[in-house]
Amino acid sequence: MSPAESAAEAFGGEHGRAPSAVWSAPGRVNLIGEHTDYNDGFVLPIALPHRIAVAAAPRTDGRLSVATLGDDGVLHRAGPTPLDALSPGVQTGWAAYPAGVAWALRGQGIDVPGADLLIAGDVPAGAGLSSSHALECAVALALLDLAGRPADGPEAAPLSEIARWVQISENDFVGAPTGLLDQTASLSCTESHALFFDVRSGELEQIPFDTGAVDLELLVIDTRAKHSHSESGYGERRRGCEHAAELLGIKALRDVSVAELDEALAVLPEELRPLVRHVVTENDRVISTVAELDAGELASIGPLLTASHMSMRDDYRISCLELDVAVDAALEAGALGARMTGGGFGGSAIALVRAQEREQVGQAVLNSYDEHGLTPPRLFTATPAAGAGRDR
């Protein structure tokens, strides 16, 4: 049963009626371009087949009721909460995510009605695959539908605007200082493509990324080392980047080229130099990766992926034992390239492998985890999928 079917069925069981609409949004894997989005840089994500679905119907009492279907089939409920009472800090835990979206939409002048929401999905939580943003995007689309502004209708807001509304809910309600990468990927990715996103200009370009056509696979290694943007060192690093840009007299680190990097580093405090070096070189790696993919040279991006991991491990310092073990084992077993993906401090790694070597690379990772006494990771192949949309 798909997440949309599960959400609709559970909604009927909970409320004794069918939902008015069901919308879903995917998780994402960032192929390359980490911690560049909040520096006005470049990113290159793909959407996963794994999705979060939201079944929704209006209420007449101005309240928001939310339930989420756990992996064990048990419903976890929050509310009903008056929409007028929503403000940062009122909701905590998982319930803050859908509540924050309702709060953010109302703050944009959208007449969000009272609503019953039921959430179901299969995006692994805490795996660095953007389950929270998939949830928020699906909730945003469902609430916009109930407000008479469905994303597939004549009065639809641009997806870029919806992404910014979701960012507001994440930053100002949940308290996680995330950029625009995850929301944009979940809303705008297309099947068999990576999304080249220039965060400063907002320009989007679909880049062909059909690994199956060239006998390659993108292996995702969910380390099961949980992470949280709101609790990790994510905010500390973001503030460091902003401070470095201020000292350099520029709007964002996007404005430093690789050719200008040494000169920029020379005038910065020692503690900020690694952050700047990562962001500047990572932007350059994204541009190089796009060029290789445009030329049809998918296998050639492997060294760029590996260089990205080294930069995040050594300069940005956001890796961990589980991520490093996964990357090192995959490379030693023949992967063309490997890197951690997502915000860091846990989550997932990816490895670009030849299809015929996928099993041996996966087994090597499992063996290495066992040798290090680590909890076995979850392995699956990432196939670029479509972005968010209406299911019924």
Side-chain angles (χ1 to χ4, degrees):
M1 188 179 295
S2 72
E5 291 168 335
S6 295
E9 181 179 280
F11 188 98
E14 178 76 351
H15 298 290
R17 56 178 171 148
S20 301
V22 181
W23 291 79
S24 68
R28 67 94 189 95
V29 158
N30 196 26
L31 189 60
I32 196 165
E34 223 65 75
H35 291 269
T36 50
D37 58 338
Y38 54 80
N39 287 291
D40 277 2
F42 307 105
V43 293
L44 192 67
I46 65 170
L48 292 170
H50 305 75
R51 301 178 78 85
I52 303 289
V54 177
R59 295 171 61 107
T60 59
D61 61 359
R63 294 173 179 265
L64 181 69
S65 168
V66 186
T68 184
L69 185 64
D71 294 337
D72 55 2
V74 175
L75 279 176
H76 304 270
R77 301 173 178 86
T81 303
L83 289 170
D84 290 342
L86 293 178
S87 62
V90 169
Q91 295 277 12
T92 58
W94 68 268
Y97 291 91
V101 172
W103 172 82
L105 294 179
R106 285 167 61 85
Q108 298 300 314
I110 297 169
D111 188 19
V112 176
D116 289 319
L117 305 180
L118 200 142
I119 300 162
D122 58 6
V123 182
L129 303 176
S130 200
S131 60
S132 63
H133 284 100
L135 165 62
E136 290 168 318
C137 288
V139 168
L141 296 178
L143 291 178
L144 285 168
D145 194 340
L146 298 186
R149 295 184 59 181
D152 57 358
E155 297 185 31
L159 293 180
S160 59
E161 193 167 5
I162 297 174
R164 291 195 180 276
W165 294 340
V166 172
Q167 184 190 27
I168 289 170
S169 73
E170 180 94 356
N171 291 176
D172 299 342
F173 195 95
V174 177
T178 55
L180 273 170
L181 187 165
D182 297 336
Q183 308 91 326
T184 302
S186 191
L187 291 167
S188 300
C189 279
T190 61
E191 188 175 354
S192 301
H193 290 79
L195 181 69
F196 179 38
F197 177 28
D198 180 337
V199 177
R200 170 169 288 175
S201 70
E203 182 179 351
L204 303 176
E205 182 181 356
Q206 303 291 344
I207 307 297
F209 187 64
D210 189 353
T211 50
V214 290
D215 294 323
L216 296 175
E217 291 190 19
L218 190 67
L219 178 65
V220 178
I221 306 161
D222 174 6
T223 67
R224 301 185 187 271
K226 302 298 183 183
H227 81 134
S228 168
H229 284 331
S230 59
E231 298 172 1
S232 69
Y234 183 104
E236 176 187 344
R237 282 154 180 77
R238 179 168 184 166
R239 290 188 293 272
C241 290
E242 292 168 349
H243 183 44
E246 181 181 0
L247 292 175
L248 292 170
I250 55 178
K251 182 179 179 182
L253 295 183
R254 148 76 171 270
D255 295 312
V256 180
S257 69
V258 169
E260 299 165 333
L261 179 57
D262 287 344
E263 181 180 352
L265 295 180
V267 301
L268 290 172
E270 180 65 33
E271 67 271 15
L272 296 180
R273 294 174 189 171
L275 300 181
V276 175
R277 183 164 50 239
H278 166 72
V279 172
V280 173
T281 58
E282 186 79 347
N283 275 325
D284 189 63
R285 283 186 287 270
V286 175
I287 297 298
S288 297
T289 299
V290 170
E292 295 293 338
L293 295 180
D294 277 337
E297 300 293 340
L298 274 68
S300 298
I301 71 171
L304 293 164
L305 303 182
T306 304
S308 174
H309 181 77
M310 293 177 179
S311 180
M312 290 185 287
R313 181 193 66 196
D314 300 336
D315 278 342
Y316 226 66
R317 303 183 301 281
I318 54 174
S319 191
C320 63
L321 175 63
E322 291 88 347
L323 287 167
D324 291 339
V325 168
V327 168
D328 292 345
L331 292 172
E332 290 171 7
L336 301 173
R339 66 185 287 272
M340 58 150 283
T341 185
F345 310 101
S348 295
I350 56 174
L352 185 66
V353 302
R354 298 178 183 88
Q356 64 270 26
E357 296 178 356
R358 187 262 189 233
E359 292 300 324
Q360 75 180 46
V361 172
Q363 190 59 54
V365 171
L366 292 173
N367 292 344
S368 188
Y369 264 61
D370 184 58
E371 293 168 4
H372 284 82
L374 299 172
T375 300
R378 178 189 181 207
L379 307 177
F380 63 92
T381 298
T383 304
R390 180 196 292 271
D391 294 274
R392 61 169 68 181

